[in-house]
Amino acid sequence: MSSFWKGIFFIILIPSNCKVKAQVENRVVFMLGTFRNVSVPQNETVQAVVSRIPIDVAYITLQFHTQHQNATLSYTRIPGLGLSFTAMDSGLLSPLLPAQNSLSWFLMSPDGGAVAGTGVILPYTSTDPVPGACRMDNNLDIDPNVHLHYNLYETIVRFAPANIGYERGATPTACDAATGSTTHLRLEYDIYQLFLPKNDLSEKSLISSIQNMANVQSMREHGKLVITVSSEEQTTASFSSIPGQGVIYSVLVRDPLWNTSAAYVPVHTYACSFTSNLDGCSTLGQITTKVFFSITGLAGLFVCFFGHRFFKCELFCMGFGFAAFLFFILITGATELDYNIRLALTAVVGVMGGVVLLISWWRFGSVMACVLVVGLMLGFLLSSTIFFTPVGDLDVFHSDVVFWLTFSCITIVVPLLFVRWPREGNITTCGVAGGYAAVLAVSSYVYTSLSYITLNILKRLLNNNFSSTFTDVSFQDIDYIMITVWVVLGVSGMTLQFYRERSRPFFPPSPYLMWRQDCERRKTNVLDPSHHTPSLHSRFLSQVQQLTGHREPVEERTPLLL
């Protein structure tokens, strides 16, 4: 029986109104625009078939998506260079011949193991642009895939330029044309982004979200348009990495002349590995991180409500945070030590920084100098929050000079206000910074986007290429809850401290200066009973002599009156 009649036979066996159908062994029949769940057995190849293609369809794309396993799509049964593509999100594009009404591809696992995923075939007409038809350095002649690379700091997506559509059997327009409205240079590209639910690493959630980003209409309905680039710009974009947070990226190419669009193959990432036993997606919350930020959160709650009252404890906590942050930047940028070692050293240096700030106030008594350090903490947090908003994604702030100049100005202005209102500024810092420390403690157990307020700044300091990265994050229910918690903690902490400190001195006196004043007072004031009290050195020697010496007995032992 010929392959044509075999295809007709399988199509007759499948009801036309069924969206997800059972897979026939080593052969899967697709319907245009309908998703199919496909399982590839071990050391087997599955043939994907589509037939009854309408005559107005000029080309079709096949997409296949898995959660964390690579799969190979091939034009031929035996994959070859330029004839196949291997990835977790893979796709192929096939232009159709004038009389062609059926087509087949081959699906397999690159390592011979079993693989399962979902696939879909999408049709496009001759007026729709052709994704990836003007490839640059890819193996495929037409590459409709979005290529993704990520590290700790950023996620980079890259795709090949598209070409304008053409009829079946026609010669496509040359991609090397310099200018002209009849070339691919008139095309525009919209990059879309879709966040998966937080803390959800399930395959079900991924597949449903992939289906919402696969074609043009659903992409516009469910995705978020991040940036639009022209054909004359680089077809790359950089985004902030969020380990453990599922994100889907896709590209929509538009032809303004014909008002038509076509979708690239969407790609997903969790910015972590499902197979790593050390830093995998399932081991993101390390015990050292939880211990560190749990202690930080408890100290933050104490500072939030009682920081100004217990000024020495507040200074230690602020000095700890200031020194720990700077040291972590230095040790991460200069060394490649293990994360746990860096975190332990950061804690040690943080303790030293807290002690230094505390001793400097104890010895010199300069409240203003210490409050300026506290003001820098509030200024840094305020500036980080401003750039965490969509303001940080403005094109002007992709320049490092403009960004750091603006960031530094905001950070420095805040402590200058503390010169006029030192107590009010100190209490405000206690409420805001203490509440945020509690939020960080929660984020070490449950992922929240608020931790990226400071983490984005840390990434930009450590990564030279982070300036061009889009730092947009998803806001979901947990984030709105944590924002509410932060506001409630900050406002209640400041209100309590303002009320309790309303009749007290602005700041407690320095213990060392008080001791010096007390010594001077005892030396000069003879009416003070403490003036006649021996010095500490004399009292110590007297006690030693009493323990070691022998007291001489007196000669008279009888009462004088007798």
Side-chain angles (χ1 to χ4, degrees):
M1 184 183 294
S2 65
S3 59
F4 172 79
W5 290 108
K6 285 183 180 179
I8 297 297
F9 176 74
F10 280 106
I11 293 175
I12 294 175
L13 291 178
I14 300 172
S16 60
N17 59 348
C18 182
K19 287 192 174 182
V20 179
K21 312 168 184 64
Q23 175 181 327
V24 180
E25 184 177 2
N26 293 342
R27 185 182 177 93
V28 182
V29 178
F30 281 87
M31 295 182 62
L32 295 178
T34 302
F35 275 88
R36 290 265 346 237
N37 294 330
V38 181
S39 298
V40 180
Q42 187 175 4
N43 298 321
E44 296 286 344
T45 299
V46 173
Q47 185 180 16
V49 179
V50 62
S51 57
R52 296 183 178 178
I53 302 174
I55 192 62
D56 61 333
V57 175
Y59 67 93
I60 57 179
T61 60
L62 170 63
Q63 302 179 13
F64 188 73
H65 305 275
T66 66
Q67 187 178 29
H68 58 85
Q69 293 176 291
N70 283 335
T72 299
L73 285 182
S74 176
Y75 291 109
T76 58
R77 184 174 293 273
I78 300 177
L81 184 63
L83 299 175
S84 63
F85 184 77
T86 301
M88 291 183 294
D89 302 282
S90 53
L92 294 177
L93 187 147
S94 297
L96 299 176
L97 299 175
Q100 188 175 6
N101 63 359
S102 64
L103 194 63
S104 66
W105 299 269
F106 297 90
L107 177 62
M108 64 207 72
S109 173
D111 56 4
V115 62
T118 185
V120 66
I121 293 179
L122 301 176
Y124 294 96
T125 65
S126 59
T127 58
D128 297 324
V130 185
C134 289
R135 67 177 184 86
M136 297 172 291
D137 54 354
N138 303 312
N139 292 328
L140 295 174
D141 290 335
I142 301 178
D143 186 8
N145 297 281
V146 177
H147 301 267
L148 183 145
H149 303 279
Y150 73 87
N151 54 35
L152 176 65
Y153 307 103
E154 60 180 343
T155 298
I156 301 175
V157 295
R158 177 178 57 86
F159 54 94
N163 200 353
I164 59 177
Y166 51 91
E167 297 285 347
R168 290 193 183 195
T171 302
T173 305
C175 292
D176 55 357
T179 57
S181 60
T182 60
T183 67
H184 74 285
L185 296 178
R186 74 183 188 217
L187 302 178
E188 297 178 346
Y189 304 89
D190 297 332
I191 302 177
Y192 282 82
Q193 182 185 57
L194 176 64
F195 287 98
L196 274 64
K198 289 187 187 302
N199 305 310
D200 190 350
L201 303 178
S202 65
E203 185 177 10
K204 179 181 178 181
S205 174
L206 172 66
I207 295 304
S208 62
S209 299
I210 283 287
Q211 293 177 0
N212 292 332
M213 293 286 285
N215 58 55
V216 173
Q217 182 178 358
S218 61
M219 189 187 308
R220 287 172 171 166
E221 292 177 356
H222 300 92
K224 177 183 178 181
L225 177 60
V226 181
I227 184 176
T228 298
V229 297
S230 65
S231 297
E232 298 177 353
E233 299 177 85
Q234 289 186 346
T235 54
T236 59
S238 178
F239 303 86
S240 176
S241 293
I242 309 176
Q245 170 65 60
V247 189
I248 299 175
Y249 299 98
S250 191
V251 179
L252 190 68
V253 53
R254 293 182 290 107
D255 189 339
L257 181 63
W258 293 100
N259 195 25
T260 55
S261 305
Y264 283 73
V265 178
V267 63
H268 76 278
T269 180
Y270 294 91
C272 58
S273 172
F274 275 81
T275 58
S276 174
N277 294 324
L278 180 61
D279 296 319
C281 296
S282 59
T283 59
L284 285 175
Q286 299 191 33
I287 186 64
T288 53
T289 304
K290 293 180 179 179
V291 171
F292 181 87
F293 283 104
S294 295
I295 298 175
T296 302
L298 293 176
L301 287 175
F302 179 83
V303 171
C304 180
F305 291 97
F306 308 103
H308 191 77
R309 178 68 179 86
F310 299 92
F311 189 62
K312 292 186 286 293
C313 295
E314 177 206 339
L315 288 181
F316 176 81
C317 294
M318 294 298 177
F320 177 91
F322 190 84
F325 186 82
L326 293 180
F327 180 77
F328 187 82
I329 293 174
L330 293 176
I331 194 173
T332 302
T335 68
E336 296 182 358
L337 293 175
D338 179 70
Y339 169 77
N340 292 328
I341 297 177
R342 283 183 282 131
L343 192 62
L345 293 176
T346 299
V348 173
V349 174
V351 171
M352 295 172 59
V355 172
V356 168
L357 184 62
L358 180 59
I359 291 179
S360 64
W361 170 76
W362 184 89
R363 174 61 181 82
F364 301 103
S366 177
V367 173
M368 194 57 62
C370 297
V371 169
L372 289 178
V373 175
V374 174
L376 287 175
M377 298 284 290
L378 181 61
F380 173 82
L381 195 56
L382 176 62
S383 185
S384 302
T385 304
I386 292 175
F387 285 101
F388 180 72
T389 65
V391 173
D393 282 333
L394 296 177
D395 292 339
V396 64
F397 293 119
H398 286 180
S399 169
D400 283 333
V401 175
V402 176
F403 175 85
W404 289 118
L405 183 62
T406 307
F407 187 90
S408 301
C409 290
I410 298 174
T411 303
I412 295 174
V413 164
V414 173
L416 294 180
L417 299 177
F418 282 25
V419 177
R420 176 64 181 85
W421 299 283
R423 182 176 68 173
E424 290 77 7
N426 186 62
I427 293 178
T428 302
T429 304
C430 290
V432 176
Y436 185 70
V439 171
L440 289 179
V442 175
S443 68
S444 64
Y445 294 91
V446 180
Y447 169 77
T448 63
S449 298
L450 297 187
S451 61
Y452 282 83
I453 291 178
T454 52
L455 188 57
N456 283 339
I457 305 302
L458 184 63
K459 289 181 177 181
R460 188 151 188 168
L461 284 167
L462 295 174
N463 189 354
N464 296 328
N465 298 323
F466 196 77
S467 58
S468 59
T469 299
F470 291 91
T471 57
D472 185 34
V473 296
S474 67
F475 263 75
Q476 300 181 17
D477 293 341
I478 182 63
D479 298 305
Y480 293 108
I481 293 174
M482 294 312 301
I483 290 176
T484 304
V485 170
W486 187 12
V487 172
V488 170
L489 287 177
V491 172
S492 58
M494 289 186 291
T495 302
L496 176 64
Q497 295 198 67
F498 277 124
Y499 178 78
R500 293 180 73 253
E501 303 297 324
R502 67 189 188 281
S503 59
R504 294 177 179 269
F506 276 19
F507 291 94
S510 168
Y512 177 77
L513 295 180
M514 289 184 63
W515 177 74
R516 290 292 302 271
Q517 293 174 1
D518 185 63
C519 290
E520 294 295 330
R521 179 179 56 80
R522 287 191 289 106
K523 288 180 180 180
T524 58
N525 188 3
V526 296
L527 298 178
D528 190 345
S530 63
H531 173 78
H532 305 283
T533 303
S535 63
L536 178 63
H537 178 71
S538 300
R539 293 197 302 269
F540 176 76
L541 292 178
S542 176
Q543 292 294 332
V544 172
Q545 291 177 357
Q546 290 180 8
L547 293 175
T548 59
H550 178 68
R551 179 177 299 179
E552 294 292 336
V554 294
E555 293 183 0
E556 183 63 46
R557 297 177 180 271
T558 59
L560 294 179
L561 294 178
L562 296 177

